[in-house]
Amino acid sequence: MSTVMKKVDAVIVGFGWTGAIMAKELTEAGLNVVALERGPMQDTYPDGNYPQVIDELTYSVRKKLFQDVSKETVTIRHSVNDVALPNRQLGAFLPGNGVGGAGLHWSGVHFRVDPIELRIRSHYEERYGKNFIPKDMTIQDFGVSYEELEPFFDYAEKVFGTSGQAWTVNGQLVGEGRGGNPYAPDRSNPFPLESQKNTVSAQLFQKAANEVGYKPYNLPSANTSGPYTNPYGAQMGPCNFCGFCSGYVCYMYSKASPNVNILPALKPLPNFELRPDAHVIRVNLDSTKSKATGVTYIDALGREIEQPADLVILGAFQFHNVRLMLLSGIGKPYDPKTGEGVVGKNFAYQNMGTIKAYFDKEVHTNNFIGAGGNGVAIDDFNADNFDHGPHGFVGGSPMWVNQAGSRPIAGTSNPPGTPAWGSAWKKATADYYTHQVSMDAHGAHQSYRGNYLDLDPVYRDAYGQPLLRMTFDWQENDIKMNRFMMEKMGKIAEAMNPKAIALLGKKVGEHFNTASYQTTHLNGGAIMGTDPKTSALNRYLQSWDVHNVFVPGASAFPQGLGYNPTGLVAALTYWSARAIREQYLKNPGPLVQA
Amino acid sequence: MSEQDNPRREFLRKTLTLIPVVTVASTGLGGSVLMATPAAAAPAAPEPAGRTSSPAAPYEPTYFTAEEWAFLNAAVARLIPADEQGPGALEAGVPEYIDRQMHTPYASGALWFMQGPFNADAAPEMGWQSKLVPKQIYRLGIAATEALCKKVYNSTFAGLDSATRDDVLKQLEAGTPQFENVPAKMFFSFLLQNTKEGFFCDPIHGGNKGMVGWTMIGFPGARADFMDWVERNEQYPFPAVSIRGERA
């Protein structure tokens, strides 16, 4: 039998970016809020203490801050005809664990969204005709526009303390010749901080991209270019490019995180409680199955605890949100055979390509210097900034040098053909470690009928619940786009005039490799939209089926973006919170009539 | 940030400003001394002056047997040999590092999802699917390699000359020998990965003694403060420091 806790107004599952934003917004509205985080308490002190945090083996290699897969993981298969196997060691993606979630160890690339990607199906059908999108590609419009979200992008940047250069502000050109992105949509305000400095690698990319005729710009970064105080009174210090960014707690208070930017404002509140080591196993529904009564979780001692609440926010990582909906019976599970059902549908990822260029000793890229959000990019092939007509694929890709800091155990790389050990390896590693540039094509990934999430029939977690199963593989459109992007980025690499180049793109027929890191940008499975037949959530991230359950996160994206997802995740969370505060609390019920 | 965190930020700034002072005193020295030392004669663990530590007593393994220890020393000395580039894995203390790792949760597979059923023959793109854990992989892999050396060369691995040891390691790397209990390729991949870890980790973990791995490639270790170096196309001049404050 569960111990039953005192009822609260709102319970939040997961304390990463979405959980922290919702906690702040709902406590501002006067609600009593409890946030349940399944991992431990974590903060800058002691988890990011200098110099202990400057430890590659403990953090990146043994994966200290990432999800504990000994307790729970996902299973993966390439098609419905395969038997799914557990992801026994983290590889392709690195979800977080503990207070701050992946927001504590992320890099900090902080984009908005290209407006056409919010209405991608409509846009492609308008420009290229109804037959351009492949039949099995299930991309959908988000159901919300850039104009509607602009104030929330703006506010999220202020909370994060984001560094960057606007192109236009309220229609006035401000960014030409200063690192602005000519493809960026209009903004209501400049970035809170100016762009960060550019590393030598980023400078090389900028020069080469200009030579090839592209339009390089400074990456928007949630690493501070100067001291900053956000609207919640949280203070940040200037980023010193320590090079221990992605995978680490920032010891400098320079990388935005829920812990640095939001938690300090929540801690003193009498109407907020953060309960770590609380692993939620289900959302409880009433007998009508149309209303949640709260959640049940396992505490640190293994006791089952029920937390009643009027409002339930699922703010866990993308695939945990989807799994909790499936485990709780919220929404109809997706069936790839019929295409019916919505929970688990439109699972999408990121379509990455990488090129490494190796230089002589007079080019000092000093790759140990780095900041996770920093760099120089081009958008000439992102979104629909070029004519897709002749190329026959859907999707775009920003390309960039984003030198986050590479460390010697996992971050050394040598020209193709170098042996993996012995004196030849040693010499190459000594010759190239500080003389190389790595650049990425960070491609959008589309959703398909056959890529989806459901519950695994065989494997279970430490609490006896079925693991989530991913059925996922690269499709023809993905390979086509990746090869196109690699060719375009190759021109930039060649213009740098390096000694050697390594091309790490996708080959025809290649399967998804679960062991090799790509990104942690997983999308979909509990998608937002305008029709309950094709989406799990309405445009305010409210469950169509259970009106007091809201599900913010990249799980709501109907497909992947060219840009990194966190900026849109944060903006959508503020957008959803505004709807809860201004509409839902006054009149609890569906915010959109089905 | 709340009020109570400010004193800590102040403390951090003070700590950081100390580093360059230390740096000036040691610029270049440590690195050049190390590089000038003939590699083969390099001491096992050069300790910076002024630090208290017991004189170089040889490390006694606590997981590996004497026979396994001999294999491990002989193998890592070939994977990262001492040569004109500088000290190798032996001088960096890689065997000590690997032995110490055998007592961590990693070596017991405790960081991995290890619930069955297992499918050890799954395609490589499905990632790790074996029920073996690093401790077992070393025990089984060393025994199988020693049996191979005994059969083919009538010698222990450590008793072979360098060229023959390289040849055996290349066979393991290619997965040529069909070992009964552990795939040769799997054993080799752990041996190589852990050797590189031990060569490049912070010395706090028992490897990279004297920061020889970092010095070889120009990694400054725990300095982690490059505000003034971001935009400069020049060699970073300061030697590495470790978490414990040692200087290369």
Side-chain angles (χ1 to χ4, degrees):
Chain A
M1 280 309 287
S2 306
T3 303
V4 181
M5 306 293 278
K6 185 165 170 271
K7 187 174 175 181
V8 293
D9 296 323
V11 64
I12 297 175
V13 181
F15 195 81
W17 276 120
T18 62
I21 289 170
M22 277 292 187
K24 186 70 181 70
E25 288 281 312
L26 298 181
T27 50
E28 279 179 17
L31 303 193
N32 282 310
V33 175
V34 165
L36 303 173
E37 165 53 50
R38 68 181 186 172
M41 182 59 207
Q42 299 176 142
D43 214 336
T44 308
Y45 180 81
D47 305 279
N49 211 21
Y50 180 88
Q52 284 73 20
V53 72
I54 309 302
D55 182 354
E56 183 190 12
L57 182 76
T58 301
Y59 285 81
S60 335
V61 181
R62 296 287 182 260
K63 302 182 164 69
K64 180 176 177 178
L65 296 176
F66 308 143
Q67 180 175 334
D68 179 0
V69 291
S70 76
K71 292 201 179 72
E72 182 199 323
T73 185
V74 294
T75 68
I76 305 176
R77 58 179 181 172
H78 289 125
S79 80
V80 290
N81 301 317
D82 301 329
V83 175
L85 295 171
N87 196 220
R88 297 184 180 278
Q89 299 174 350
L90 286 174
F93 41 80
L94 303 168
N97 188 48
V99 170
L104 187 60
H105 76 246
W106 72 317
S107 302
V109 177
H110 187 186
F111 277 109
R112 294 187 170 193
V113 68
D114 189 285
I116 73 108
E117 287 191 308
L118 293 176
R119 53 186 305 278
I120 192 166
R121 178 166 285 274
S122 301
H123 176 89
Y124 269 77
E125 287 181 357
E126 284 159 19
R127 182 167 177 185
Y128 302 110
K130 294 239 175 207
N131 295 326
F132 191 81
I133 300 172
K135 279 214 158 31
D136 65 339
M137 187 183 282
T138 52
I139 56 176
Q140 291 180 194
D141 297 356
F142 277 67
V144 63
S145 70
Y146 175 79
E147 289 70 27
E148 287 174 302
L149 291 179
E150 203 287 332
F152 304 96
F153 281 120
D154 182 65
Y155 191 64
E157 286 164 358
K158 291 186 169 101
V159 171
F160 284 47
T162 305
S163 309
Q165 173 60 53
W167 180 255
T168 60
V169 176
N170 296 317
Q172 296 294 308
L173 181 62
V174 296
E176 193 163 21
R178 305 177 58 201
N181 174 11
Y183 297 103
D186 194 34
R187 311 164 50 90
S188 56
N189 281 296
F191 283 91
L193 292 169
E194 62 179 25
S195 302
Q196 288 188 279
K197 291 177 182 177
N198 286 325
T199 59
V200 171
S201 300
Q203 293 168 30
L204 289 170
F205 183 88
Q206 186 175 38
K207 183 168 172 284
N210 269 322
E211 281 169 20
V212 182
Y214 303 146
K215 302 179 183 70
Y217 65 90
N218 295 330
L219 277 180
S221 168
N223 313 150
T224 46
S225 59
Y228 183 70
T229 303
N230 83 358
Y232 302 150
Q235 291 178 292
M236 304 176 80
C239 167
N240 70 352
F241 287 75
C242 82
F244 287 76
C245 202
S246 189
Y248 298 79
V249 184
C250 176
Y251 80 90
M252 291 290 289
Y253 296 85
S254 305
K255 175 171 71 175
S257 67
N259 316 59
V260 167
N261 298 58
I262 301 178
L263 186 57
L266 286 169
K267 270 183 177 168
L269 300 180
N271 57 335
F272 175 73
E273 185 193 346
L274 171 58
R275 239 175 259 164
D277 303 305
H279 178 92
V280 174
I281 55 172
R282 68 174 169 273
V283 179
N284 301 311
L285 304 181
D286 72 4
S287 57
T288 68
K289 305 288 177 198
S290 62
K291 193 159 184 282
T293 58
V295 303
T296 295
Y297 66 92
I298 309 287
D299 76 0
L301 293 178
R303 293 176 298 208
E304 200 169 291
I305 314 278
E306 189 185 333
Q307 177 60 64
D310 286 329
L311 185 59
V312 175
I313 308 292
L314 297 185
F317 186 73
Q318 177 262 347
F319 54 65
H320 303 308
N321 279 349
V322 178
R323 180 169 180 251
L324 272 173
M325 290 178 78
L326 290 167
L327 290 171
S328 311
I330 300 172
K332 187 179 173 187
Y334 172 71
D335 180 350
K337 286 190 204 78
T338 61
E340 287 170 12
V342 288
V343 182
K345 174 187 151 92
N346 281 29
F347 171 48
Y349 196 18
Q350 198 85 61
N351 189 358
M352 298 292 291
T354 297
I355 296 179
K356 291 178 188 289
Y358 304 89
F359 294 89
D360 272 323
K361 292 213 166 173
E362 72 274 12
V363 177
H364 297 276
T365 52
N366 293 335
N367 299 55
F368 49 85
I369 296 175
N374 165 268
V376 168
I378 61 161
D379 267 7
D380 299 81
F381 302 101
N382 190 25
D384 197 32
N385 297 339
F386 63 105
D387 184 3
H388 282 73
H391 307 297
F393 63 81
V394 174
S397 175
M399 298 170 188
W400 59 55
V401 161
N402 168 220
Q403 188 167 302
S406 5
R407 296 152 299 266
I409 298 172
T412 58
S413 127
N414 292 320
T418 308
W421 51 280
S423 284
W425 167 81
K426 224 178 143 188
K427 180 166 185 343
T429 308
D431 283 349
Y432 289 109
Y433 170 62
T434 56
H435 309 282
Q436 60 180 277
V437 172
S438 181
M439 63 204 92
D440 302 309
H442 188 265
H445 185 247
Q446 311 309 321
S447 41
Y448 302 89
R449 184 162 176 161
N451 286 344
Y452 75 105
L453 303 170
D454 67 353
L455 294 174
D456 190 273
V458 177
Y459 293 97
R460 290 175 178 265
D461 69 10
Y463 310 100
Q465 292 195 296
L467 297 185
L468 190 75
R469 175 169 67 178
M470 293 178 173
T471 303
F472 182 90
D473 209 352
W474 303 120
Q475 309 294 318
E476 192 188 337
N477 182 81
D478 307 331
I479 308 278
K480 227 188 242 183
M481 183 182 102
N482 188 263
R483 292 171 74 87
F484 175 88
M485 297 301 168
M486 287 294 286
E487 193 224 314
K488 297 296 178 194
M489 190 163 65
K491 292 195 164 58
I492 305 176
E494 282 161 19
M496 292 183 191
N497 200 23
K499 268 174 84 177
I501 287 180
L503 300 169
L504 306 161
K506 292 189 172 68
K507 297 174 194 69
V508 175
E510 180 173 319
H511 292 294
F512 170 50
N513 184 346
T514 70
S516 146
Y517 183 71
Q518 291 157 62
T519 71
T520 307
H521 307 155
L522 300 164
N523 312 290
I527 67 176
M528 62 191 295
T530 52
D531 180 350
K533 285 198 186 64
T534 56
S535 59
L537 314 174
N538 65 25
R539 68 197 298 260
Y540 301 107
L541 309 184
Q542 179 184 35
S543 163
W544 287 109
D545 300 275
V546 183
H547 69 75
N548 61 339
V549 172
F550 288 73
V551 192
S555 42
F557 295 7
Q559 54 277 325
L561 312 176
Y563 290 153
N564 306 50
T566 306
L568 181 57
V569 165
L572 282 172
T573 307
Y574 277 112
W575 153 262
S576 171
R578 175 70 62 93
I580 294 172
R581 291 177 67 169
E582 294 187 350
Q583 300 173 59
Y584 184 82
L585 294 178
K586 286 179 192 136
N587 185 18
L591 295 174
V592 178
Q593 289 308 321
Chain B
M1 196 51 47
S2 61
E3 286 295 316
Q4 72 231 33
D5 284 322
N6 282 333
R8 177 173 160 71
R9 299 260 321 268
E10 201 47 43
F11 166 75
L12 271 177
R13 284 205 194 88
K14 282 176 185 153
T15 322
L16 288 168
T17 52
L18 282 178
I19 291 175
V21 179
V22 169
T23 296
V24 172
S26 68
T27 300
L29 262 183
S32 56
V33 167
L34 269 174
M35 295 309 289
T37 310
E47 288 286 342
R51 283 195 63 87
T52 51
S53 69
S54 55
Y59 177 79
E60 291 292 335
T62 55
Y63 176 73
F64 293 109
T65 65
E67 292 77 13
E68 290 167 339
W69 186 244
F71 170 90
L72 195 62
N73 278 267
V76 303
R78 296 314 304 156
L79 293 174
I80 307 181
D83 58 16
E84 64 275 13
Q85 292 292 326
L90 269 192
E91 295 74 26
V94 167
E96 173 182 337
Y97 164 80
I98 297 178
D99 187 66
R100 282 171 55 172
Q101 282 293 304
M102 292 301 107
H103 299 292
T104 66
Y106 157 76
S108 311
L111 306 180
W112 306 340
F113 185 82
M114 293 301 272
Q115 185 194 112
F118 289 90
N119 180 355
D121 301 320
E125 61 262 25
M126 298 316 294
W128 185 258
Q129 294 298 336
S130 171
K131 72 184 257 297
L132 291 170
V133 304
K135 280 167 86 160
Q136 292 173 290
I137 291 165
Y138 275 98
R139 188 129 287 158
L140 299 170
I142 293 173
T145 308
E146 287 293 2
L148 175 83
C149 293
K150 174 86 181 145
K151 190 173 148 202
V152 178
Y153 307 106
N154 196 28
S155 166
T156 61
F157 179 81
L160 299 172
D161 62 36
S162 297
T164 313
R165 277 191 267 158
D166 284 358
D167 191 50
V168 172
L169 290 169
K170 278 178 195 159
Q171 288 179 47
L172 298 181
E173 183 180 29
T176 317
Q178 296 299 308
F179 295 158
E180 200 179 329
N181 291 326
V182 59
K185 224 175 183 162
M186 178 193 288
F187 169 50
F188 181 84
S189 74
F190 274 85
L191 186 59
L192 180 59
Q193 167 68 19
N194 295 150
T195 298
K196 289 182 180 175
E197 288 169 7
F199 194 62
F200 285 137
C201 65
D202 189 278
I204 205 165
H205 299 289
N208 193 16
K209 290 187 192 300
M211 290 164 271
V212 294
W214 291 350
T215 301
M216 181 185 95
I217 62 170
F219 179 70
R223 287 188 181 274
D225 178 13
F226 305 113
M227 186 75 105
D228 296 336
W229 294 91
V230 176
E231 298 169 304
R232 295 200 219 177
N233 186 3
E234 49 189 283
Q235 187 176 346
Y236 183 76
F238 305 124
V241 296
S242 73
I243 287 174
R244 282 190 297 239
E246 301 140 308
R247 295 189 300 280

